[in-house]
Structures are given as C-alpha cells and as structure tokens.
Amino acid sequence: MHKNGYEVIAAIDVGSNAIRMSIAQVDARGNVKTLEDLYKPTGIGRDTFATGRIQAASLHDLCDTLVGFSRVMKQYKVRHYKAVSTSGIREAENKEYVLEQIRVTSGLEVRGINNTEARFFMYKAIRELINKAKTDSHSGTLIVDIGSGGVEMSAYSRGNLKFTEYIKVGSLRLSEILAGLEAKTLDFPQVMEEFIDSKISFFTPLLSQARIKSFIGLGGGLRTIIEMCRAFDSSAGQNFVKSDTLKRLYLKICGMTTSQIAKEFKLAQNDAEVLMSSVILFHNFLNMTDAEGIYAPMSSLRHGLLVDMVDELLDTPGRHEAIGDIISSVWYIGEKYFIDEEHCRYIEKHSTSIFDQMGKIHRLGQRERLYLQVASILHDIGKYINPNSHDVHSYNIIRFQDILGLSERELDIIANIARYHSHEIPSQTHENYRMLESGDGIIVSKLAAILRVAEALDISHKRKVKGIELQVWERTINFNIWASEDMLLEEWNFTGNAAFFEEVMGYRPVLKQRRVQL
C-alpha cells in the first residue's frame, strides 16, 4: 500500500472478441473503487475458432491496443496488475508467438488461463451474491457463465460448491461451428438447439438432484438479452429476467433468421449470431431448474482479477473461502470415481498436519500445501480403473481433470504427487516427471515424500493413528504417533519409505508409538 493508504491496481482481460481493462483503487480495508474501464473489440476469437491460428492483422491490432493500455497504466502509476488471456489465444496454434509479441511490444506479461482458472476468478467476484440470491436455505444455486468458447456451470447448496462442469458450446464457437448450416435450412435456430441439447442434456439429472431454485447468469451478452426482453415486459429490471419473459424472447428468436434478428433488435450481424446461441443456451439451462428467472450481477472476469489481487495484497477471508471452493470441487471429482472417502479424508488430515509441522524444513508455501491437499484426496482415484498400478492411473485421471482455479502446470504437479504416493519414486527416466517445468520436480518430490509417510500410517485403512507430533533432533525427525492398536504393519511400511523421505528432505524419519489410553 502507498503511504496514503491506497493502491491503484489494474486487471486486463484479453478475451476472444474484446480486450478490456479495469483500473481500480483499493484501500486498506479492501474496498475497491473503479477509476476507469477501457474496451476494444478484437478478431482473435474468430481467427482461432475458424482457422486455428491468430492472423497477423488481428495480432497487430491486439498489440497496438495493449500498448495503449500500458500507457494508461503508467499514467495511473499502477504497480500491481493481472493480465490474462482466455480461449481466443489459449486454443490458437501460434499462441506462444502471440504472447511473446505482446510482451515485446507492450511490456505486459499476459498469462494464458484455462477455463477452470477463469471460472475461479469469476466466482471470486460473485461469491457473496450466492448468499444474497433469492433462495431458501435448503435450495440450490446454479451459476451459468456463457463465454465465447464454452459454458461453465457450477451448482452451490447452502453456500458450498457441489459440482462444476465445462462444455465447449460457447456462443461464438457455436456460431462459427454451425455457420455453414444456416444457408441450408429455413429453421436454423432449431438445428442449433438440437446441437446444444446433444451437448448439455447430460446435466439434467445432476441439476434435478441439486434442487436449483436460484439461477445466476454471466456473460453471453446477458445485458443485451435483458434489454431485448423489455420489449415483452416493460417492468423488467436491469439485473433480472423472468423465466416466462425469456421464454417469449426465445420463441420469437427461434422463428427468425439471424438477419431478421439483427434488423428487429438493431444489432450487428455478428452480434445477432452470438445472441441467438446465448438465448438458446440460457433458456435450455433455465428449463433444467425450478428458478423463477435469471439474476444477472453483471460481474466480469476483470472484477474477479481485481478481487484476487486484493485477496493477495491483504490476505482477506475471501481468499480462504476460495480455497474451500477448490477443495469442494475436488471432493466432487473423487465421488464420481468412488474413492474411499474416509481413508482419503484421513490421509488429507495427516499429510497436511505433517506439512504444517515441517514448514522450516521443506520451505514451501500455502499454494504447495493446496497441491498436497488435492493429491491426498485423489491419490487413490486410479483404483476406479484398476487396483493394480493405480498410482499410474491416478496420474492420468488427475492430469486431464478441470479442477477449479488450477492451471495446467499445477495439475501436472498434483498428478505427479499422486503418481509417486505408492512404491515408485520420481525418476528422470519417467517422462511425466522429466517433462515438469523447471523447479517443479523438487516440489513434487517433497510433497510426494510427505504423502508417502502419511499413506504408510494408514496402509491398513483402519485409521489407527489418532495424532501425530513431530520433533526435530539434529538430522532426525521423530514421528510421535498416538494409536490404540498394534502398528506393526504401519511401522513396516513407514520404514520402507524412510530412505526416500531422508534423501529428499535431508532428515531421517523415525516412528515412535505412543499408546492412547482407552
């Protein structure tokens, strides 16, 4: 913070069809005041979704815009910023060249984020709205975020995340994929709806179990959709559209071509194409719930980036709530693969306890603690495929999950921790370990060493250990274990993992049992 008690920060969203920047002032209490919002359309999404590569003309325009944004940031004396790119750049075959040219021309480091990271930032911005939404204490809340490249949906119950999913049926992607069909039919909206139904019908039973009574909508040109709905309901508010009003708009649009939609609602042809798919998507998802309509908080990815920066600068309670949402989404994944929940909760508890007590030895931070926590929950997930070599299967399953708020690099780290929780140890002969980014191998090895000894203490799955207390003496760590049962099997397994632990940590682990009084 500056001496005057506030900091000026910036958030940049390099999206598929527009580049946006918000500059805000944050005070010592975490209050955020927007100072300026900037917006510039871009064609990078259309390039990527149509040809797979961002064309030179679009890239030059993008760089020129970001050079201008950088100048504005300097005028405001911005010291902290986050700049991210989503599917428009992420899915381009030439994304590395694009990000490097942005860095060279503008001086801005733009980080490509995946869908789960984008969703994580969005939900940080609107999490407090979940409790304010019109719902009783036992009903669920559905958040549907329609982006250019895909749709993110998450269900909450009593303020806790229950599940989250992503499907590649974004508004711009749909219009690009199906563009060639409109000239071949007089009922293009029906064709689009059939295609959408084929992608989202899987979620109907999931949503019926969640008893959704509140629906929060994001993206998808929702502000424009609400304005269009006012043609049917002049009493419609700025942030809420009733279910029956959306239904009337949906029925009207489904009887029109995109050219007719553009003319009727005074939209550009490209905007009309995107709005058609958005209306169909919102309508179909809303029909899967018992909600009375869609609440539109008009939050954006930029707002989420600003909130995340505030959380980092001030270590706010929201930072810890967000971690809770990540862990909730991980348990949802575990449930889908029928993990042994009691055992995994036990391992999670003891591995994090060991981590916390060894802070001065491993010198890792809270983010690495999260990696260990996620790996502890999912370490046995590979048993869903085959109990034999389940550690390898665990690696493969975790590696290709969409876990809220985690980057592909972080998923690589977590998958490798789970990969080495059993009998094998990390080796440069293993491609999965060799391909880790610089410095990540030692993170994997340290956290795998902790997970292995925690797993050793419940090798019988009988949860014999009631407490663990570590004592460091020269180059030895005494693991004082309180247990009420015989620990012969656990001690044997613990001893078998001691050599790897000592090699990685530099301290020899010694198990000392303390009898619990019954």
Side-chain angles (χ1 to χ4, degrees):
M1 289 286 175
H2 286 294
K3 292 180 180 180
N4 51 19
Y6 68 84
E7 188 79 43
V8 179
I9 59 179
I12 301 173
D13 171 16
V14 184
S16 299
N17 55 12
I19 314 167
R20 300 173 174 88
M21 178 172 74
S22 291
I23 294 179
Q25 178 179 294
V26 54
D27 63 24
R29 295 184 177 181
N31 299 312
V32 178
K33 177 184 178 182
T34 300
L35 302 177
E36 188 164 353
D37 279 319
L38 298 178
Y39 166 91
K40 179 71 182 295
T42 178
I44 60 174
R46 290 190 178 278
D47 285 355
T48 298
F49 301 146
T51 69
R53 305 180 74 86
I54 295 174
Q55 305 303 308
S58 298
L59 176 55
H60 295 330
D61 287 343
L62 172 61
C63 289
D64 289 345
T65 299
L66 290 174
V67 167
F69 282 9
S70 180
R71 291 197 190 104
V72 175
M73 289 168 62
K74 290 177 182 177
Q75 292 170 5
Y76 278 99
K77 298 181 180 179
V78 171
R79 296 193 302 173
H80 301 280
Y81 75 92
K82 282 185 183 288
V84 301
S85 62
T86 52
S87 56
I89 291 181
R90 182 182 67 243
E91 298 183 17
E93 294 177 13
N94 57 343
K95 62 183 177 183
E96 292 183 1
Y97 309 144
V98 171
L99 292 175
E100 175 61 9
Q101 289 191 46
I102 289 173
R103 187 187 69 82
V104 170
T105 57
S106 69
L108 295 173
E109 296 283 351
V110 177
R111 186 169 72 88
I113 59 174
N114 61 23
N115 301 310
T116 55
E117 291 177 282
R119 184 173 69 246
F120 178 69
F121 291 128
M122 287 292 297
Y123 293 167
K124 291 192 83 165
I126 67 168
R127 198 181 198 285
E128 61 182 300
L129 298 173
I130 296 171
N131 297 325
K132 296 178 181 178
K134 298 177 181 178
T135 178
D136 62 64
S137 61
H138 297 287
S139 64
T141 299
L142 178 68
I143 301 176
V144 174
D145 179 9
I146 299 179
S148 299
V151 176
E152 300 281 351
M153 53 172 289
S154 292
Y156 283 78
S157 179
R158 301 184 182 183
N160 296 315
L161 181 65
K162 292 303 179 184
F163 68 84
T164 180
E165 297 284 357
Y166 171 79
I167 44 176
K168 289 187 176 182
V169 288
S171 53
L172 180 58
R173 188 191 300 273
L174 280 171
S175 63
E176 292 295 330
I177 290 175
L178 302 178
L181 293 177
E182 184 166 13
K184 299 180 180 180
T185 177
L186 297 175
D187 197 6
F188 179 62
Q190 179 62 34
V191 173
M192 180 175 283
E193 176 153 26
E194 289 178 0
F195 183 80
I196 290 172
D197 279 342
S198 72
K199 301 295 183 182
I200 71 174
S201 59
F202 165 80
F203 300 110
T204 303
L206 283 174
L207 295 179
S208 63
Q209 294 172 11
R211 298 179 61 224
I212 301 297
K213 293 290 185 66
S214 181
F215 190 115
I216 295 177
L218 300 169
L222 194 52
R223 189 186 299 275
T224 303
I225 291 173
I226 291 177
E227 289 296 326
M228 294 165 72
C229 284
R230 286 181 179 168
F232 305 107
D233 183 4
S234 58
S235 66
Q238 293 184 342
N239 297 96
F240 189 79
V241 56
K242 297 178 183 177
S243 179
D244 58 348
T245 305
L246 182 66
K247 177 76 171 181
R248 292 175 66 184
L249 175 63
Y250 159 80
L251 291 174
K252 183 177 181 65
I253 280 181
C254 284
M256 305 169 72
T257 65
T258 51
S259 297
Q260 291 170 332
I261 293 171
K263 183 177 181 181
E264 173 79 13
F265 295 100
K266 298 181 175 57
L267 300 171
Q269 182 73 16
N270 291 344
D271 291 337
E273 293 172 357
V274 171
L275 259 296
M276 176 190 288
S277 57
S278 293
V279 169
I280 294 174
L281 282 164
F282 276 127
H283 173 266
N284 287 16
F285 274 113
L286 187 58
N287 273 354
M288 295 180 184
T289 75
D290 296 323
E292 297 178 354
I294 300 176
Y295 174 53
M298 301 305 174
S299 294
S300 69
L301 176 57
R302 300 186 315 288
H303 298 140
L305 293 170
L306 293 173
V307 171
D308 189 62
M309 278 186 280
V310 172
D311 286 346
E312 290 179 354
L313 288 170
L314 302 177
D315 194 24
T316 65
R319 183 176 186 176
H320 304 286
E321 291 177 352
I323 295 298
D325 280 348
I326 293 175
I327 296 303
S328 292
S329 69
V330 171
W331 280 113
Y332 169 67
I333 293 170
E335 290 169 5
K336 289 199 299 184
Y337 288 90
F338 301 102
I339 61 172
D340 182 342
E341 183 175 339
E342 289 189 7
H343 170 70
C344 292
R345 288 194 184 278
Y346 192 79
I347 297 303
E348 177 196 11
K349 173 186 174 182
H350 288 309
S351 65
T352 52
S353 174
I354 295 169
F355 179 95
D356 293 341
Q357 295 182 65
M358 287 183 59
K360 292 182 179 180
I361 294 174
H362 57 61
R363 303 295 180 92
L364 299 175
Q366 289 302 300
R367 195 65 181 178
E368 288 78 17
R369 187 184 192 274
L370 175 64
Y371 303 158
L372 176 61
Q373 197 172 0
V374 175
S376 297
I377 295 170
L378 300 180
H379 71 283
D380 278 346
I381 199 170
K383 290 181 178 179
Y384 178 83
I385 297 176
N386 193 327
N388 299 315
S389 300
H390 74 277
D391 47 352
V392 177
H393 296 309
S394 292
Y395 168 84
N396 290 324
I397 292 174
I398 295 170
R399 181 63 190 82
F400 294 101
Q401 292 298 314
D402 286 327
I403 299 180
L404 181 69
L406 298 180
S407 67
E408 292 183 5
R409 167 188 163 265
E410 291 175 314
L411 285 173
D412 257 343
I413 292 172
I414 293 166
N416 273 281
I417 297 167
R419 165 75 172 81
Y420 297 113
H421 83 272
S422 187
H423 62 282
E424 284 193 297
I425 62 174
S427 169
Q428 289 295 332
T429 63
H430 300 161
E431 183 179 6
N432 56 281
Y433 185 75
R434 188 174 62 250
M435 296 303 292
L436 286 166
E437 293 187 16
S438 177
D440 289 346
I442 190 61
I443 295 174
V444 167
S445 294
K446 286 183 176 182
L447 297 179
I450 293 174
L451 180 56
R452 288 167 75 98
V453 295
E455 173 78 357
L457 295 175
D458 194 41
I459 190 65
S460 65
H461 286 224
K462 291 185 176 181
R463 296 172 292 284
K464 299 174 183 178
V465 176
K466 308 305 178 185
I468 302 175
E469 181 180 299
L470 272 58
Q471 291 179 323
V472 180
W473 178 256
E474 296 182 346
R475 283 293 174 178
T476 298
I477 301 179
N478 291 332
F479 281 69
N480 296 306
I481 304 298
W482 278 262
S484 58
E485 300 179 51
D486 180 77
M487 293 284 292
L488 182 61
L489 179 62
E490 284 74 15
E491 185 174 359
W492 167 78
N493 200 267
F494 184 94
T495 302
N497 285 286
F500 175 64
F501 185 98
E502 182 175 11
E503 182 180 4
V504 173
M505 298 294 188
Y507 289 78
R508 182 168 60 91
V510 177
L511 190 65
K512 293 184 178 295
Q513 184 175 353
R514 303 287 190 264
R515 181 69 60 177
V516 173
Q517 296 297 325
L518 297 177

